[in-house]
Amino acid sequence: MLSIESLCKSYLHHQAVKNVSFHVNENECVALLGPNGAGKTTTLQMLAGLLSPTSGTIKLLGEKKPDRRLIGYLPQYPAFYSWMTAYEFLTFAGRLSGLSKKKCQEEIGEMLKFVGLQESAHKRIGGYSGGMKQRLGLAQALLHKPKLLILDEPVSALDPSGRVEVMDMMRELKKHMAVLFSTHVLHDAEQVCDQVVIMNNGEVSWKGELQQLKKQHQTNVFTLSVKEKLKGWLEEKPYVSDLVYINPSQAVFELPDTLAGRTLLSDCIRTGLTVTHFEQKTESLEDVYLKVVHA
């Protein structure tokens, strides 16, 4: 669907984006992650056609100069004419996207219902909350039925329930189009994305499937709790390293692999220890993200 190769953007002596390359497949949701100043917004603006790249290539459906009407774009801070109603604004946006007046009328009601604004369709946008404006911006980006939907921080202005609703919408949308979005809310990315692209200082630090990213950075840290005392016994095991006691009956340590975990449990049973808890630490997306960004 979308192919980006060696994308660069420079401003005088500052290179905001450096040799960024990644792909987005059809019906796939890709999350663009990274700290402030990583180059995420600049990258998305180039993909949306709002900025011209200094160098590199962008191909949409194999075309270097794609029809921009195939793209839907929601900026982080969408701007509206406050004196317009939602219905009037979507009519205006739809006509700019090449839709006929009749087609706009057919699509607007359905789109407002999809984003939960049908009851506010004829209310002036100046009276909308930040969350309502974000929903209206999403409706504008979807109105012309794009093949690629680009969202810059789509949940930044939403409360927790609003974020959940937008994530549900994105799950539904990726059945019909490719979705590329940037976010600082890593939990949201974990819920909905198929691939992640982590940027830092204008460059891609890591890209690939989310589960692959977690697996690559998985640690062999384990927690063991028993009813008896572990202290004085566990440190004698040659396969245990970096041992830290939380209390005499609970410890955190590293093992070379999961096979050593089975060996440890067998040793506990033979020794007569009563195991109450044994767990391998699971890396969250936040843990892995921090490792990649600070590597």
Side-chain angles (χ1 to χ4, degrees):
M1 172 63 72
L2 177 68
S3 175
I4 301 106
E5 298 291 342
S6 303
L7 196 63
C8 298
K9 181 63 180 178
S10 298
Y11 299 97
L12 295 177
H13 304 295
H14 173 63
Q15 195 169 9
V17 175
K18 311 168 192 174
N19 295 311
V20 167
S21 301
F22 62 90
H23 304 273
V24 180
N25 299 316
E26 290 188 26
N27 304 118
E28 183 176 62
C29 185
V30 177
L32 197 59
L33 309 177
N36 290 328
K40 303 188 301 299
T41 294
T42 301
T43 299
L44 294 182
Q45 288 179 343
M46 286 190 285
L47 300 182
L50 300 178
L51 287 177
S52 298
T54 303
S55 61
T57 59
I58 300 169
K59 290 183 181 180
L60 181 63
L61 294 172
E63 298 291 332
K64 284 189 178 180
K65 292 185 177 180
D67 183 349
R68 292 296 170 185
R69 288 175 295 184
L70 296 175
I71 299 172
Y73 175 65
L74 173 64
Q76 183 175 0
Y77 304 108
F80 306 96
Y81 296 107
S82 61
W83 48 268
M84 280 186 172
T85 66
Y87 191 93
E88 290 169 340
F89 176 76
L90 290 181
T91 301
F92 173 65
R95 299 289 283 142
L96 287 177
S97 298
L99 299 182
S100 67
K101 191 172 182 179
K102 182 180 178 182
K103 190 67 175 174
C104 283
Q105 291 173 343
E106 291 174 358
E107 298 291 341
I108 287 173
E110 179 185 340
M111 199 53 60
L112 287 170
K113 183 178 180 181
F114 180 72
V115 299
L117 290 176
Q118 67 270 31
E119 294 181 4
S120 303
H122 299 287
K123 181 180 177 181
R124 294 191 187 279
I125 300 170
Y128 276 25
S129 67
M132 292 171 73
K133 289 178 180 178
Q134 200 81 349
R135 291 166 183 270
L136 181 58
L138 182 59
Q140 170 273 136
L142 291 169
L143 186 62
H144 57 292
K145 300 260 173 59
K147 296 291 185 182
L148 172 67
L149 179 63
I150 299 174
L151 309 173
D152 192 0
E153 298 284 351
V155 297
S156 60
L158 302 178
D159 58 25
S161 62
R163 288 209 306 269
V164 170
E165 290 173 5
V166 169
M167 290 298 108
D168 289 340
M169 290 181 200
M170 290 171 66
R171 288 190 193 92
E172 181 63 29
L173 289 170
K174 73 177 184 178
K175 297 176 184 177
H176 310 285
M177 63 190 70
V179 180
L180 173 63
F181 75 106
S182 66
T183 183
H184 283 110
V185 186
L186 301 183
H187 175 72
D188 291 341
E190 202 166 10
Q191 296 299 307
V192 74
C193 71
D194 303 295
Q195 307 269 347
V196 292
V197 178
I198 299 179
M199 292 185 66
N200 194 24
N201 296 320
E203 300 176 293
V204 173
S205 299
W206 199 93
K207 59 184 176 182
E209 292 183 6
L210 182 59
Q211 293 306 317
Q212 179 188 353
L213 175 63
K214 287 184 174 181
K215 185 176 180 181
Q216 183 176 323
H217 291 85
Q218 182 66 55
T219 62
N220 288 321
V221 176
F222 292 78
T223 300
L224 174 65
S225 300
V226 299
K227 288 185 177 180
E228 299 79 13
K229 286 182 65 175
L230 278 173
K231 202 164 187 178
W233 176 82
L234 191 56
E235 53 264 42
E236 296 177 357
K237 303 302 170 187
Y239 46 79
V240 173
S241 60
D242 294 327
L243 174 63
V244 175
Y245 284 104
I246 297 173
N247 58 57
S249 298
Q250 185 178 18
V252 178
F253 49 86
E254 286 193 19
L255 296 175
D257 48 43
T258 52
L259 180 61
R262 290 195 285 270
T263 302
L264 176 60
L265 289 175
S266 297
D267 287 346
C268 287
I269 292 168
R270 279 195 294 269
T271 309
L273 296 176
T274 307
V275 176
T276 58
H277 183 83
F278 181 65
E279 180 184 27
Q280 183 177 13
K281 181 185 177 184
T282 302
E283 294 283 293
S284 67
L285 180 56
E286 284 86 353
D287 296 329
V288 174
Y289 167 82
L290 291 172
K291 283 184 179 179
V292 172
V293 167
H294 296 298

